[in-house]
Amino acid sequence: MATTTKQDYYELLGVGRKAAQKEIRQAYRKLARKYHPDLNPGDKSAEEKFKQVQEAYDVLSDAKKRQMYDQFGFDADRRSAPPPGQAAAPNVDFGGFDFDGTSGTNFRDLFSQFFRGGAGAQAADENEPGSDLEYGIEIDFWEAVRGTVKKVTISRLEACTACGGSGGVGSPQTCEACGGKGNGSQTSGRMRFNVACSRCGGTGRVRPICRTCGGEGRVRRAETIDVRIPAGVQSGSRVRVPGHGNAGTHGAPPGDLYFITEVKPHPYFERRGDDLYTVVPITVTEAALGAKIEVPTLDGRSLLRVPPGTSSGQKLRLREKGVPSVRQPGKRGNLYVELQVVVPKPVDERVRNLLRELAKLEPEDPRSDLFARAGTSERPGKRVALDT
């Protein structure tokens, strides 16, 4: 038997042997548009390449045909060598059988079941829904908190207006590949079986390919749209715009468009989820005696009561003064205010005297139990003088 010189189907489509069906389909469409006879009139080499690409796709797009090809290649009667000491499996010779003839009716029925879904699957694959698109969008703190509308220019695949998204123009014509029959005979090794014509999908009729979109039915265009950013989004939020992804093929529905938000930080408010955190300075007198102070919030000034004896670093909560919730409309987070006691600088002698008098009136030592808590009270050590 002569050795075949056919090019490997995977190499022909430019994909790996473990390629997924989507990758195979994309490679086929790209090559089919490149070598399509309507786009290469009079080019015999392109026509031959187009037929080879169709043949490769017909086999690799069908799971059962692909499995058979992966196992036996072009020679269907090839078998792997039996294990030592075991008789070889009987070699079934398919030569001489024409699965299209009347004498081979049972074989034809058998293979139509075995390869069921081959032509139908290809036809269904042509109507593929459009893919989703993702774009990043940067907004500032107040746009994220209050919501906004941004104008954004994107690039997407839209249905070709020249052919209405069908990929073909003009009146249907007789398919040259099958002569209008809609099917043809295909040989793989010693097997020969009938398959639907991959050029016309079994209809026997084709329309001239649209030169605007190359038969894809879609063209890439730039589009400027208004994107509504809801109040309360944060960095990493996904804003969905339905139906603005890539158009589907041959009238299939389009995908969706997603914007991933990146929110600029604010110099005063720190955001954690829907809650806000900030630091407010207070005087020693306000911390000791208590006070009512005004603090900034998203809604303007709000009154905050500082309890007497407040320590520096203490946090107070203002309910419902945080960021609006995206997931729970009508609800808001909280605002947490950290109080920072500012110690006055005793630049005036009167201030110094008042502080000394205060120390006499309030002789409490805030470090009285410091060494006990540290576990070093019973371990006297050398005192180290500090540099001044």
Side-chain angles (χ1 to χ4, degrees):
M1 182 173 56
T3 303
T4 180
T5 58
K6 279 190 175 182
Q7 184 178 354
D8 179 77
Y9 287 152
Y10 291 100
E11 293 180 0
L12 193 62
L13 294 182
V15 298
R17 300 191 75 83
K18 294 183 180 181
Q21 283 296 324
K22 183 177 181 180
E23 185 180 352
I24 292 174
R25 182 168 59 251
Q26 291 174 342
Y28 162 71
R29 287 178 176 170
K30 182 178 179 180
L31 293 173
R33 288 195 299 271
K34 180 179 180 180
Y35 296 111
H36 199 286
D38 290 349
L39 297 179
N40 301 274
D43 189 341
K44 294 296 182 182
S45 61
E47 183 178 354
E48 181 61 28
K49 193 73 172 180
F50 179 75
K51 293 179 180 179
Q52 294 174 0
V53 169
Q54 285 183 311
E55 179 182 337
Y57 180 68
D58 181 70
V59 173
L60 299 185
S61 63
D62 185 279
K64 294 180 180 178
K65 290 183 185 180
R66 182 179 179 180
Q67 182 182 8
M68 201 167 187
Y69 173 75
D70 288 343
Q71 187 174 0
F72 303 121
F74 293 111
D75 189 0
D77 63 351
R78 187 178 69 192
R79 297 293 186 267
S80 59
Q86 180 177 334
N91 189 2
V92 181
D93 187 358
F94 292 98
F97 288 96
D98 185 353
F99 297 111
D100 191 31
T102 55
S103 62
T105 302
N106 292 335
F107 285 98
R108 184 181 66 239
D109 294 342
L110 173 64
F111 272 79
S112 67
Q113 294 177 11
F114 187 72
F115 294 130
R116 180 179 299 150
Q122 292 180 35
D125 286 343
E126 293 301 321
N127 299 326
E128 183 180 358
S131 58
D132 295 335
L133 292 176
E134 281 191 0
Y135 282 87
I137 183 170
E138 187 178 61
I139 56 179
D140 65 34
F141 176 85
W142 291 108
E143 289 175 329
V145 168
R146 297 168 177 167
T148 186
V149 176
K150 305 280 283 187
K151 282 190 177 296
V152 182
T153 300
I154 63 169
S155 176
R156 60 186 292 262
L157 292 174
E158 297 181 351
C160 176
T161 55
C163 63
S166 65
V169 295
S171 302
Q173 301 174 0
T174 301
C175 177
E176 297 179 358
C178 64
K181 295 186 297 182
N183 55 53
S185 177
Q186 181 173 319
T187 302
S188 180
R190 293 188 176 184
M191 293 190 301
R192 186 167 62 253
F193 46 89
N194 248 11
V195 295
C197 175
S198 57
R199 184 174 179 185
C200 65
T203 62
R205 307 278 286 175
V206 294
R207 296 172 64 192
I209 193 170
C210 175
R211 296 183 178 274
T212 301
C213 62
E216 170 70 12
R218 304 179 298 180
V219 291
R220 185 168 294 279
R221 290 195 180 96
E223 180 184 6
T224 300
I225 61 174
D226 290 332
V227 183
R228 189 184 70 83
I229 307 296
V233 298
Q234 54 188 312
S235 290
S237 295
R238 287 162 58 92
V239 179
R240 176 172 172 259
V241 184
H244 275 73
N246 285 327
T249 58
H250 302 282
D256 295 329
L257 173 63
Y258 291 90
F259 286 97
I260 312 301
T261 57
E262 179 65 30
V263 181
K264 297 178 182 178
H266 191 274
Y268 181 75
F269 294 111
E270 178 189 353
R271 182 175 176 180
R272 303 177 193 172
D274 292 335
D275 294 330
L276 292 177
Y277 292 79
T278 189
V279 177
V280 174
I282 58 174
T283 66
V284 172
T285 305
E286 290 172 333
L289 302 179
K292 291 182 179 180
I293 63 173
E294 288 186 330
V295 296
T297 69
L298 299 182
D299 308 310
R301 297 172 180 241
S302 289
L303 202 62
L304 178 67
R305 190 180 72 83
V306 178
T310 295
S311 301
S312 188
Q314 185 172 339
K315 290 185 176 67
L316 301 179
R317 179 179 62 182
L318 290 174
R319 294 179 180 272
E320 297 286 323
K321 291 296 183 180
V323 179
S325 174
V326 174
R327 297 182 179 180
Q328 297 178 296
K331 291 190 175 183
R332 294 177 60 173
N334 301 317
L335 171 62
Y336 292 89
V337 178
E338 179 181 336
L339 299 175
Q340 188 177 67
V341 179
V342 179
V343 179
K345 295 181 180 180
V347 294
D348 188 277
E349 187 61 29
R350 289 177 301 174
V351 175
R352 293 173 183 270
N353 292 331
L354 287 173
L355 290 175
R356 293 189 185 101
E357 187 67 23
L358 177 62
K360 293 178 181 179
L361 295 174
E362 189 67 33
E364 181 183 0
D365 184 2
R367 299 180 299 280
S368 59
D369 63 341
L370 181 64
F371 296 99
R373 288 189 287 117
T376 60
S377 58
E378 302 300 326
R379 301 176 185 177
K382 180 191 292 185
R383 294 188 177 182
V384 179
L386 297 178
D387 294 334
T388 57

